[in-house]
Amino acid sequence: MAHDHSQAHAGHSHGEAHAHDHSHFEGSSEKKLLFAFVLTLIMLLVEAAGGMVSGSLALLADAGHMLVDALALLLAFLGARFAARPADAQRSFGYGRIEVLAGFVNALTQFALVAFIIVEAVQRLFDPQPILSGVMLVVALIGLVANVVVLRTLHGHDPDDVNIAGASLHVLGDLLGSVAAVLAALAVRWAGWLWADPVLSILVSLLILRSAWSLLRRSGHILLEGTPEGVHLSDIEKGLREADENILDIHHVHVWQVTAGSRMATLHAELKPGADQSRCLTAIKTMLIERWQVGHATVQFDPGPCPDELEGCGKGGRGVP
């Protein structure tokens, strides 16, 4: 079994740069999430008060959404904070997976919130309530501006970071809720359409539902050790067979990610008799990090036919590790 914790030559410097960038991003993420949490908490109180005074379901729904979001942002902040903790004897891969768990929980809370809003909206359709459209409009506009500020603060995160993605999803839901509240306030004020308030709340909920499903699928895929998006095991096998002329076969390939920007792999390699293992190992690891951003790989060199063949790891197969 060949295994190392450093990258040789060019692979080593690339890995160090990646680790440095990720560490810097983590610290930046904490500040962004803390700011987003504080501002969301303030707007939660403003919209809750505005909703009760004006009688608007859209504002109350958005306030309820913000309550969930405030908790979600706090969870995301704690996830980013714990993810920065170093690995220990009990968790050799560190605490980075907490970010993914936070994103998964955030997605689930969105489903619960959507169900609540839809039930309340249907009740309002059958029993319309008077609304103070002026108060509703002012509060909705303030919420809209605040959500734009928060969303811009979280913008530009690592696309693999489901923790920040989950937080951004919540804020996007708030932004859509604020837009709906503004439109509903205008419709009530200028046209007297009381039904616009619950109807627009339902439309926003359906948009949130679609994004929540996407985040749930992505975070669940990572938790199930799924292959990262855009990575195909057949391409890796084919590419690594061409990494060095002494490589006869690459099989039993597994690629997954612990958290954002942390891809790992295990694989078996069969070499020509007398081949330089060190040279082939360097070629394999260099290609993995340069082409597929896999910074941590464990490579087993098989002495001829794969010894794990009885476990389904035949030539070119992908058995259970």
Side-chain angles (χ1 to χ4, degrees), residues 70-71 79 114 137 180 190 203 208 220 238 247 252 266 284 301:
L71 296 175
V114 166
L137 181 59
W190 300 111
L203 292 178
I208 296 172
K238 180 180 179 181
I247 299 176
H252 207 25
T266 61
I284 290 173
F301 291 113

Side-chain angles (χ1 to χ4, degrees), residues 54-315:
S54 67
S56 167
L57 174 62
L59 281 183
L60 290 175
D62 203 29
H65 195 179
M66 283 191 169
L67 174 60
V68 177
D69 290 354
L71 296 175
L73 288 166
L74 179 60
L75 179 61
F77 169 74
L78 294 176
R81 173 63 62 87
F82 277 102
R85 295 177 61 180
D88 54 37
Q90 296 297 319
R91 296 172 180 81
S92 59
F93 284 112
Y95 294 80
R97 185 57 62 85
I98 292 179
E99 293 184 356
V100 184
L101 287 172
F104 188 80
V105 173
N106 284 348
L108 291 179
T109 59
Q110 290 285 358
F111 282 97
L113 177 66
V114 166
F116 168 77
I117 293 175
I118 290 178
V119 170
E120 289 295 319
V122 171
Q123 292 177 351
R124 284 291 186 96
L125 284 174
F126 289 98
D127 184 21
Q129 301 294 323
I131 298 174
L132 299 178
S133 58
V135 175
M136 178 183 176
L137 181 59
V138 172
V139 174
L141 287 173
I142 295 175
L144 179 62
V145 173
N147 285 318
V148 169
V149 172
V150 173
L151 194 61
R152 285 184 61 85
T153 300
L154 298 177
H155 179 70
H157 64 273
D158 186 327
D160 286 336
D161 191 338
V162 293
N163 186 35
I164 296 290
S168 298
L169 172 59
H170 279 273
V171 177
L172 179 60
D174 280 338
L175 179 62
L176 294 175
S178 295
V179 171
V182 170
L183 294 178
L186 293 174
V188 172
R189 187 172 184 81
W190 300 111
W193 295 344
L194 293 178
W195 55 262
D197 188 48
V199 167
L200 286 172
S201 298
I202 292 176
L203 292 178
V204 170
S205 297
L206 295 178
L207 292 176
I208 296 172
L209 190 63
R210 178 181 179 184
S211 298
W213 169 250
S214 176
L215 177 62
L216 186 69
R217 180 182 59 81
R218 288 172 54 202
S219 56
H221 184 71
I222 295 177
L223 292 175
L224 291 173
E225 308 289 359
T227 305
E229 295 183 8
V231 175
H232 302 283
L233 299 184
S234 58
D235 293 341
I236 292 180
E237 292 176 358
K238 180 180 179 181
L240 292 182
R241 289 190 188 109
E242 301 172 353
D244 189 280
E245 59 183 10
N246 290 306
I247 299 176
L248 291 177
D249 186 46
I250 297 291
H251 56 278
H252 207 25
V253 178
H254 297 270
V255 182
W256 71 99
Q257 60 186 35
V258 174
T259 185
S262 179
R263 294 182 177 181
M264 302 185 179
T266 61
L267 59 94
H268 289 197
E270 183 180 349
L271 307 181
K272 293 180 180 179
D276 185 346
Q277 288 192 0
S278 178
R279 169 184 163 184
C280 292
L281 179 62
T282 299
I284 290 173
K285 285 181 170 288
T286 299
M287 181 174 287
L288 281 173
I289 197 169
E290 290 181 351
R291 291 183 58 176
W292 295 286
Q293 293 76 53
V294 176
H296 183 103
T298 300
V299 181
Q300 174 178 309
F301 291 113
D302 294 336
C306 181
D308 295 332
E309 186 173 1
L310 293 179
E311 298 182 14
C313 182
K315 191 171 184 177

